[in-house]
mmCIF file of all heavy atoms in Angstrom:
data_model
loop_
_atom_site.group_PDB
_atom_site.id
_atom_site.type_symbol
_atom_site.label_atom_id
_atom_site.label_comp_id
_atom_site.label_asym_id
_atom_site.label_seq_id
_atom_site.Cartn_x
_atom_site.Cartn_y
_atom_site.Cartn_z
ATOM 1 N N GLU A 138 -3.874 -28.758 -31.347
ATOM 2 C CA GLU A 138 -5.269 -28.482 -31.666
ATOM 3 C C GLU A 138 -5.367 -27.135 -32.353
ATOM 4 O O GLU A 138 -4.726 -26.176 -31.950
ATOM 5 C CB GLU A 138 -6.115 -28.474 -30.393
ATOM 6 C CG GLU A 138 -6.167 -29.809 -29.684
ATOM 7 C CD GLU A 138 -6.935 -29.749 -28.375
ATOM 8 O OE1 GLU A 138 -7.575 -28.723 -28.099
ATOM 9 O OE2 GLU A 138 -6.886 -30.745 -27.641
ATOM 10 N N PHE A 139 -6.188 -27.092 -33.389
ATOM 11 C CA PHE A 139 -6.431 -25.848 -34.093
ATOM 12 C C PHE A 139 -7.842 -25.402 -33.782
ATOM 13 O O PHE A 139 -8.772 -26.211 -33.767
ATOM 14 C CB PHE A 139 -6.235 -26.031 -35.598
ATOM 15 C CG PHE A 139 -4.809 -26.324 -35.966
ATOM 16 C CD1 PHE A 139 -4.368 -27.623 -36.132
ATOM 17 C CD2 PHE A 139 -3.905 -25.284 -36.116
ATOM 18 C CE1 PHE A 139 -3.050 -27.894 -36.456
ATOM 19 C CE2 PHE A 139 -2.577 -25.545 -36.438
ATOM 20 C CZ PHE A 139 -2.152 -26.851 -36.604
ATOM 21 N N HIS A 140 -7.981 -24.122 -33.534
ATOM 22 C CA HIS A 140 -9.288 -23.553 -33.196
ATOM 23 C C HIS A 140 -9.592 -22.440 -34.184
ATOM 24 O O HIS A 140 -8.959 -21.385 -34.135
ATOM 25 C CB HIS A 140 -9.295 -23.004 -31.762
ATOM 26 C CG HIS A 140 -8.948 -24.041 -30.746
ATOM 27 N ND1 HIS A 140 -9.825 -25.020 -30.367
ATOM 28 C CD2 HIS A 140 -7.806 -24.268 -30.049
ATOM 29 C CE1 HIS A 140 -9.255 -25.813 -29.469
ATOM 30 N NE2 HIS A 140 -8.025 -25.375 -29.268
ATOM 31 N N GLY A 141 -10.527 -22.725 -35.077
ATOM 32 C CA GLY A 141 -10.875 -21.747 -36.088
ATOM 33 C C GLY A 141 -11.713 -20.614 -35.523
ATOM 34 O O GLY A 141 -12.546 -20.818 -34.643
ATOM 35 N N ASN A 142 -11.440 -19.426 -36.008
ATOM 36 C CA ASN A 142 -12.215 -18.253 -35.650
ATOM 37 C C ASN A 142 -12.105 -17.228 -36.773
ATOM 38 O O ASN A 142 -11.191 -17.280 -37.581
ATOM 39 C CB ASN A 142 -11.733 -17.652 -34.316
ATOM 40 C CG ASN A 142 -10.267 -17.253 -34.355
ATOM 41 O OD1 ASN A 142 -9.395 -18.076 -34.593
ATOM 42 N ND2 ASN A 142 -9.978 -15.992 -34.117
ATOM 43 N N TYR A 181 -10.879 -16.920 -41.943
ATOM 44 C CA TYR A 181 -11.262 -17.913 -40.947
ATOM 45 C C TYR A 181 -10.098 -18.875 -40.778
ATOM 46 O O TYR A 181 -9.588 -19.433 -41.751
ATOM 47 C CB TYR A 181 -12.508 -18.694 -41.378
ATOM 48 C CG TYR A 181 -12.954 -19.692 -40.330
ATOM 49 C CD1 TYR A 181 -13.711 -19.285 -39.248
ATOM 50 C CD2 TYR A 181 -12.576 -21.023 -40.418
ATOM 51 C CE1 TYR A 181 -14.102 -20.194 -38.271
ATOM 52 C CE2 TYR A 181 -12.960 -21.935 -39.442
ATOM 53 C CZ TYR A 181 -13.726 -21.518 -38.378
ATOM 54 O OH TYR A 181 -14.092 -22.415 -37.406
ATOM 55 N N GLY A 182 -9.656 -19.046 -39.543
ATOM 56 C CA GLY A 182 -8.546 -19.951 -39.267
ATOM 57 C C GLY A 182 -8.144 -19.805 -37.812
ATOM 58 O O GLY A 182 -8.831 -19.150 -37.021
ATOM 59 N N ASP A 183 -7.038 -20.405 -37.463
ATOM 60 C CA ASP A 183 -6.549 -20.323 -36.089
ATOM 61 C C ASP A 183 -5.636 -19.102 -35.975
ATOM 62 O O ASP A 183 -4.431 -19.186 -36.190
ATOM 63 C CB ASP A 183 -5.804 -21.604 -35.716
ATOM 64 C CG ASP A 183 -5.543 -21.706 -34.219
ATOM 65 O OD1 ASP A 183 -5.364 -20.659 -33.564
ATOM 66 O OD2 ASP A 183 -5.510 -22.836 -33.700
ATOM 67 N N SER A 184 -6.233 -17.980 -35.620
ATOM 68 C CA SER A 184 -5.467 -16.735 -35.561
ATOM 69 C C SER A 184 -4.406 -16.759 -34.468
ATOM 70 O O SER A 184 -3.347 -16.135 -34.612
ATOM 71 C CB SER A 184 -6.399 -15.537 -35.365
ATOM 72 O OG SER A 184 -7.109 -15.641 -34.138
ATOM 73 N N SER A 185 -4.624 -17.512 -33.403
ATOM 74 C CA SER A 185 -3.611 -17.559 -32.335
ATOM 75 C C SER A 185 -2.365 -18.311 -32.790
ATOM 76 O O SER A 185 -1.244 -17.916 -32.462
ATOM 77 C CB SER A 185 -4.173 -18.158 -31.043
ATOM 78 O OG SER A 185 -4.517 -19.501 -31.222
ATOM 79 N N LYS A 186 -2.521 -19.368 -33.576
ATOM 80 C CA LYS A 186 -1.353 -20.089 -34.102
ATOM 81 C C LYS A 186 -0.631 -19.220 -35.131
ATOM 82 O O LYS A 186 0.600 -19.160 -35.152
ATOM 83 C CB LYS A 186 -1.766 -21.412 -34.749
ATOM 84 C CG LYS A 186 -2.370 -22.411 -33.785
ATOM 85 C CD LYS A 186 -1.337 -23.057 -32.905
ATOM 86 C CE LYS A 186 -1.901 -24.181 -32.075
ATOM 87 N NZ LYS A 186 -2.835 -23.808 -31.028
#
Side-chain angles (χ1 to χ4, degrees):
E138 296 176 9
F139 294 95
H140 302 285
N142 59 301
Y181 182 81
D183 193 329
S184 61
S185 65
K186 296 285 188 292

